[in-house]
Amino acid sequence: MKFYLIIPAFILYLGCTSPPLPVFQTTEGICPKSDLFVLSQPEIDVQTGNDLVGIYCKANITPIGFEWEISLVFRDEIHPSTWKDFFYRIYRRIRYGRTYDIESFLVRLEPDGKTFQLDLKNVYSGEQIFQEDPVTHKDRILSSSLLENRNSLPILYVNTWNHMFGEKDNNPQLSKQEIQISEFRFGSRSQLDGYFGTY
C-alpha cells in the first residue's frame, strides 16, 4: 500500500469503529427491572445509525432517597451535515475512544415509588429541534408529572441529532420510534468513561 493511502485509511478506521459494549461486574447498586418511561426518538435518527444499543444503570441511596444514574448508549452521533460529520467523528473517536454517543442523567424516585424527578443536567434540549446546529447543552429538573404519557408511562423525547432530551416533542413533523425503558445493564457513567478511555 502506498504511504499516501495510509493516512486516509487510518482516519476512516478511527471514524468507523468502536469497541464492544462492556459488561461490568455487579457488586451493589443494581437497578431492578421497572417500567420507568418511554423514549421517543425520531425515526430518521434511527435509520441513519443512531439507534439505542444499550441502557446502563447504577442505583444509589442518597440522604433524600433512591437515585438511579442512567446512561443511554446510542450507536453513533451522526451530524446532519455530511462534511461536518466527517471531522466530528474523527474528533470524537480520538477524544472519547468511541463512536457511541453516551448520554447520562439522574432519576430520583419519589416516596410513592411511582413518580420521579429527572435531573437532565447537560442533556436538556429546551426548545431546540432535531436539525439544530450548534446544539446547546442545557440543564433542567423535570418532575414525571410534567411528561406526556403513553399507556400510563411518561415519555421522554429525543429532540436533537446529538440526543438532547425534553418533556415535549419539538419535532412533531418527524415520525418517531418508541422504546420502553425498563431493563438495564449494570454500570455507572464513570465506569463507561473509564472503559472507553482505556480500551
Side-chain angles (χ1 to χ4, degrees):
M1 178 181 275
K2 297 185 178 179
F3 180 74
Y4 64 86
L5 294 176
I6 292 175
I7 293 176
F10 180 67
I11 289 173
L12 188 61
Y13 167 76
L14 285 177
C16 296
T17 61
S18 272
L21 289 177
V23 176
F24 299 113
Q25 295 296 320
T26 56
T27 52
E28 58 182 22
I30 299 171
C31 297
K33 179 178 178 181
S34 175
D35 295 333
L36 197 57
F37 59 87
V38 171
L39 186 73
S40 181
Q41 182 179 7
E43 275 188 359
I44 188 171
D45 198 36
V46 175
Q47 291 166 356
T48 55
N50 294 339
D51 51 311
L52 186 67
V53 294
I55 306 165
Y56 288 82
C57 185
K58 170 79 165 56
N60 300 301
I61 299 175
T62 71
I64 58 172
F66 290 101
E67 182 178 271
W68 293 1
E69 181 193 59
I70 294 181
S71 295
L72 302 180
V73 182
F74 297 89
R75 189 176 307 279
D76 210 330
E77 186 180 78
I78 299 172
H79 196 289
S81 165
T82 304
W83 72 269
K84 285 184 180 180
D85 181 64
F86 176 79
F87 295 103
Y88 183 57
R89 71 182 43 260
I90 293 169
Y91 162 76
R92 287 178 59 241
R93 185 69 169 102
I94 293 170
R95 172 70 175 84
Y96 300 110
R98 55 180 164 82
T99 56
Y100 296 120
D101 178 34
I102 305 174
E103 303 297 348
S104 301
F105 52 86
L106 298 175
V107 175
R108 297 191 182 100
L109 302 178
E110 301 284 6
D112 63 13
K114 296 178 181 178
T115 56
F116 55 86
Q117 288 186 335
L118 288 177
D119 186 346
L120 301 176
K121 185 175 182 179
N122 208 38
V123 294
Y124 181 62
S125 65
E127 300 294 324
Q128 298 173 106
I129 61 171
F130 186 74
Q131 297 287 339
E132 198 87 26
D133 183 30
V135 176
T136 302
H137 291 241
K138 301 184 178 191
D139 303 335
R140 178 88 190 267
I141 295 176
L142 295 174
S143 168
S144 56
S145 62
L146 295 176
L147 304 178
E148 297 176 16
N149 279 273
R150 179 97 71 245
N151 299 324
S152 300
L153 286 178
I155 304 173
L156 186 63
Y157 289 97
V158 176
N159 281 323
T160 64
W161 60 271
N162 66 337
H163 309 124
M164 298 291 101
F165 309 111
E167 73 276 26
K168 63 180 182 176
D169 183 4
N170 294 349
N171 304 282
Q173 75 285 4
L174 299 178
S175 299
K176 307 295 187 302
Q177 182 177 95
E178 295 185 348
I179 304 139
Q180 188 167 310
I181 305 300
S182 58
E183 293 193 58
F184 313 97
R185 301 181 187 209
F186 171 78
S188 67
R189 179 59 188 261
S190 62
Q191 286 175 304
L192 287 165
D193 288 342
Y195 170 82
F196 287 110
T198 58
Y199 187 84

